[in-house]
Every structure is written in structure tokens, then in C-alpha cells.
Amino acid sequence: MRKVGFLSFGWWSAAPGSKVRTAGDVMQDTIRLAEAAEDAGIDGAWMRVHHFEQNTSSPFPLLAAMGARTSRIALGTGVINMRYENPLYMAEAAATADLIAGGRLELGVSRGSPEPAADGPAEFGYPLGFGDSPSADAARRIARFREAISGVGIAPAGPRAHVRAGELLPIQPHSPGLSRRIWYGAGGIESGRRAGELGMHLMSSTLVLEATGEPLGVVQARQIEAFREAWREAGHEGEPQASVSRSIMPIVDDATHTYFNPYLERDRLGGNRDQIGEIDNTVSTFGKTYVGDLDKLERELREDDAVMTSDTLLVTIPNQLGADFNRVTFGALAELRDRLAR
């Protein structure tokens, strides 16, 4: 593991103690989170994308603002549900945000996780055709998006276009290199292998759609190996990148002790462990929470096979506590990254 970034769900609510009580609050504070992450020395600021909920849903305006206010860190999504997207419009928006950020976008895409709407994509104007499946629909949209951001011609020219006869018009603007920074949010080993075959980087969450009774890190490490092997066999250029997400709560001062000590007590009582459960009609393995001081966190993360074999660790954060609170966590994560790299 060489890099560490935060992953924010972008929730807002008026619950007691929340520092982000409105949609406006969460937009402004997410930009501040990116600034705090860069100041603390971690490597990335990633945001979740969900529709019909009180959290971030339209990533590109926010990514562009984060890019304008930072200069070094990667800016990513984890993940965009492509069933909701017009691939060509998304290609324009993504390239625009990437150019503003100076080529730092790392976009995670996938079929997405279950949404609260009965059929959200249909409400956005994208109903499934007869006999089609959500996975196949998302795969076509991903392929079209990747084609569009590569800079190739897309649309036949009309009589007013200033191009040579027969030349296709590309999507504009074009951001060179963006097409090599697309990640696939894979739920299981087979989807991880497919990401490698397609030449997309692998993004694996705090759960895997497989339940063998083994720890999450063991199952996820197999997913990463299958991904890297498929990438090599397909002959893609460059290095395949794999990220995993974890819930990590460093206790380093009075404030973090106040908020995180109840989780530590649960850990001490044996109630904090990987779990088997069901999501999207699939029995899955869900990861535990890592909580404690940096010595404890280092010991436990070294025993997590997926963390230690991944390239990037994305840490879910309590974004409702605000950027000022999370700034302390970011400093602890930077130190933890350096310890694990030794």
C-alpha cells in the first residue's frame, strides 16, 4: 500500500452534532475536506455518488471546485452508477473537471449499489429495454464513455463542420490521459477479473460479494490477484492499480477519543469483526472497523492481506463532523501510510 486517501459519503443532516446540516453545507465542507487532506499530506480525496438521498450525487461541479482549490492530491469518485448517466455528456463534464484540476481525476464507475428509488435510472430517462439487464446496460454506457474520453471521433459531421470529408467529430473538450485513470467498482472476483481484461483499474469496497467464512482481506486479496493477472494476460500498457476501502478511526487526541472510544470498547468486547450478510440479493463479506491508536492500527492493518497488497487505501470518514475534525484524522492517516510503507 503506497497511497492513502479519504472517501466521503457526503451526508448532510440536522442531527445533533452535525456540522453539515444542509446541502450547501456539505458542498462547501467537501471542498474544505480536499484542502485539509492536501495540507495533511495524504494522497487523495474521493467522494461517493448516490441519487435520491441526502448526500453528494452530481460529482463534476464539486470535483471541479476541489480541483481549483488544490494542486496535488488525486480527486476521485467511488463510484458513479453509470445507469444514471448519458455517457457523452458525462465525457464533456469529466474532461472539463479534469482540465481544471490539471489532470488529477481518478473516476470510479460501475453498475452501482442499490438505490432508494424503485427505478431511479428510468426516472432519469434511461429505462431498461425488454430482456436487458442492469449490468449489461451499465457496461455499454461505460464502454461509450471510455471511447468518448479517449479523443476518437464520435459523431458524423454535418454540412457546417470544419473537418475533412468522412471525419468524425470528437467530444470536446478532450483531457489527455483521463482515459487511463478510470477505475471499476468491482463487487466480486469475476467482476474484478473483468476490470483487468478491460484495462480499468480496480476499486474494491468495504465488502465483497462472496462469503467463504474467510476474513474480508483474504477474499479481497484474491480479487486483486485475479484482476492483476487478467490485466497482464490482456497485455495492457502501464501498471494495474487496485484500491480497497476500510473504516478506520484513529484515536489521537481528546476529540477523536470522545467520538471513537465507544467503537474501541465494542472492539475490546469482541463485537467488532468481519460479518457475513446480504446485499443486492447476494451473500457477502463485510469488513470490520479499525479503531485505536496508531500502534494498534498499524499492527492490525499489517495483517489485512488486501490492504497490504493494494496500491491505495481509501478510508471512509465521518464527514458530518466537518473538515476541522477530519483534518486531525488526515494527519494520522498520513503517518499510518508512512509506517506501513516501511
Side-chain angles (χ1 to χ4, degrees):
M1 194 271 290
R2 296 174 292 176
K3 297 180 181 178
V4 65
F6 76 79
L7 177 60
S8 172
F9 283 67
W11 292 107
W12 74 86
S13 77
S18 174
K19 307 298 183 185
V20 285
R21 307 180 72 80
T22 68
D25 290 343
V26 83
M27 302 309 161
Q28 296 295 331
D29 204 68
T30 300
I31 298 169
R32 294 182 61 224
L33 283 171
E35 294 177 300
E38 183 159 280
D39 291 344
I42 66 172
D43 306 289
W46 300 65
M47 53 188 288
R48 288 290 297 268
V49 179
H50 279 295
H51 302 282
F52 299 106
E53 294 186 85
Q54 286 189 187
N55 59 239
T56 47
S57 59
S58 180
F60 295 109
L62 195 49
L63 288 169
M66 294 159 70
R69 296 270 286 270
T70 59
S71 61
R72 178 187 58 81
I73 58 171
L75 304 169
T77 57
V79 291
I80 297 172
N81 183 340
M82 291 298 292
R83 296 254 2 261
Y84 284 81
E85 298 295 331
N86 177 315
L88 301 189
Y89 184 79
M90 178 174 160
E92 292 179 344
T96 299
D98 194 44
L99 290 168
I100 291 171
R104 290 183 283 128
L105 259 58
E106 305 277 346
L107 297 179
V109 299
S110 81
R111 179 179 68 86
S113 57
E115 301 273 355
D119 191 352
E123 299 299 330
F124 271 54
Y126 307 124
L128 278 178
F130 180 76
D132 205 355
S133 72
S135 295
D137 179 54
R140 288 192 298 271
R141 294 175 190 275
I142 291 171
R144 185 64 163 165
F145 169 70
R146 295 181 69 202
E147 178 185 34
I149 61 174
S150 73
V152 302
I154 294 293
R160 297 180 181 276
H162 298 289
V163 295
R164 292 185 292 271
E167 186 174 350
L168 297 176
L169 300 172
I171 289 294
Q172 297 289 359
H174 171 59
S175 185
L178 177 59
S179 61
R180 297 190 296 273
R181 289 179 267 116
I182 306 301
W183 301 61
Y184 186 78
I189 290 177
E190 287 306 312
S191 55
R193 183 176 288 113
R194 182 62 176 158
E197 292 171 352
L198 293 172
M200 303 171 71
H201 302 300
L202 174 69
M203 179 177 290
S204 195
S205 184
T206 53
L207 64 93
V208 171
L209 302 180
E210 183 175 336
T212 64
E214 300 167 293
L216 172 65
V218 173
V219 180
Q220 211 167 36
R222 282 202 299 272
Q223 181 193 40
I224 293 172
E225 179 53 37
F227 155 71
R228 288 175 174 156
E229 181 180 3
W231 179 292
R232 292 191 295 267
E233 290 177 351
H236 296 298
E237 296 180 356
E239 289 296 321
Q241 302 290 305
S243 74
V244 297
S245 299
R246 292 292 184 268
S247 176
I248 301 176
M249 299 178 176
I251 297 178
V252 294
D253 63 5
D254 290 343
T256 52
H257 181 273
T258 297
Y259 282 104
F260 297 154
N261 193 60
Y263 297 90
L264 182 59
E265 288 301 314
R266 181 170 175 265
D267 184 83
R268 288 168 177 160
L269 293 172
N272 178 31
R273 60 174 69 92
D274 291 352
Q275 302 287 332
I276 302 297
E278 184 175 312
I279 185 172
D280 207 11
N281 299 316
T282 304
V283 179
S284 307
T285 305
F286 295 78
K288 69 175 187 178
T289 296
Y290 290 88
V291 58
D293 61 33
L294 292 186
D295 290 338
K296 179 177 182 291
L297 293 176
E298 180 185 356
R299 288 194 305 271
E300 294 180 355
L301 288 170
R302 284 192 182 279
E303 296 176 358
D304 187 318
D305 293 352
V307 168
M308 295 309 293
T309 195
S310 67
D311 301 285
T312 299
L313 172 63
L314 298 180
V315 179
T316 61
I317 61 167
N319 79 279
Q320 288 192 57
L321 295 181
D324 292 336
F325 175 88
N326 282 290
R327 184 185 299 270
V328 175
T329 295
F330 297 156
L333 293 177
E335 182 176 343
L336 193 58
R337 173 203 58 201
D338 295 343
R339 289 186 181 203
L340 293 172
R342 294 173 189 153

